[in-house]
Amino acid sequence: MTTAYSESLTERTPGRAWTIRLTGHADRSATVTCSTAACRMPPRSRNLAVLRAFAAQHVAAHAKAATVRPNAACHCRAQRCATHEHTRVHCAGTVVLILRHDPTVGRVWTLEEVCESCAPLISNATILARAARTRAPAPAQAAKKIAVPAQSGVPGGFFSSPSAAPVGEPTSRRPGRAAHQPRRGAAQGR
């Protein structure tokens, strides 16, 4: 029997991360970069306040667009818990979306999908969203998702084995043996 829903709730997908970085240059100008190649960034500029505001707005846009996936693996664990390497913990709990940003430095913003156990251990992290808890499908819904192989039906909701003949067609029997004869040992009381 196979189910129509192929992805298991226990299968984990890699946790996502987005990093927006403000990089200064020798000529006192700066650029903003995003780890997502498709994002459009402003040109190099000497106005750091405008670039810093753009970076903060860009992070907010990524956070708003990202839906926290309940089956995501902890991104922190994928990085070998480098952000909290002095405190080891077993990754557990629901997935949360955090923003890591040190306001004293103010040049890097990182959004990550991490577990509830790692999130409080990461310095300068703020939890922005939590994954919706997945519920097991109701029995009626689960029954609808089951794909039943094409086999001949037998009254009562059971199905015959794939090697059995369809209902109404004669079956071949081995010669010399009747359908309801008891075995010799059973009849003699052995």
Side-chain angles (χ1 to χ4, degrees):
M1 209 182 301
T2 60
T3 59
Y5 185 70
S6 63
E7 187 176 304
S8 169
L9 293 176
T10 59
E11 289 181 29
R12 295 286 189 172
T13 58
R16 298 174 294 180
W18 299 268
T19 302
I20 293 81
R21 189 176 306 271
L22 182 63
T23 307
H25 302 287
D27 64 350
R28 296 183 185 244
S29 66
T31 55
V32 177
T33 59
C34 180
S35 60
T36 305
C39 292
R40 291 182 40 182
M41 297 290 117
R44 192 171 178 166
S45 173
R46 288 182 179 237
N47 192 342
L48 294 178
V50 169
L51 291 178
R52 186 168 284 140
F54 174 83
Q57 291 170 353
H58 190 74
V59 168
H62 271 296
K64 186 177 179 183
T67 301
V68 184
R69 302 168 305 165
N71 64 335
C74 182
H75 184 263
C76 181
R77 183 176 183 185
Q79 301 300 315
R80 296 196 170 114
C81 297
T83 55
H84 60 86
E85 61 187 19
H86 298 296
T87 307
R88 291 290 174 193
V89 67
H90 292 291
C91 292
T94 60
V95 179
V96 296
L97 181 69
I98 63 164
L99 169 63
R100 285 190 309 148
H101 176 66
D102 186 355
T104 58
V105 178
R107 290 183 279 172
V108 179
W109 294 259
T110 305
L111 289 170
E112 294 177 281
E113 287 178 320
V114 299
C115 70
E116 283 182 322
S117 296
C118 289
L121 301 175
I122 298 172
S123 61
N124 299 310
T126 305
I127 296 175
L128 301 178
R130 295 183 184 278
R133 295 202 184 261
T134 56
R135 290 184 280 148
Q141 292 174 341
K144 289 179 184 177
K145 292 183 180 182
I146 297 174
V148 179
Q151 297 175 352
S152 59
V154 177
F158 295 99
F159 291 90
S160 62
S161 66
S163 61
V167 175
E169 291 186 18
T171 58
S172 62
R173 299 190 190 268
R174 284 191 276 164
R177 185 160 185 186
H180 295 289
Q181 282 183 346
R183 291 189 341 217
R184 290 184 196 171
Q188 294 174 356
R190 284 190 193 180

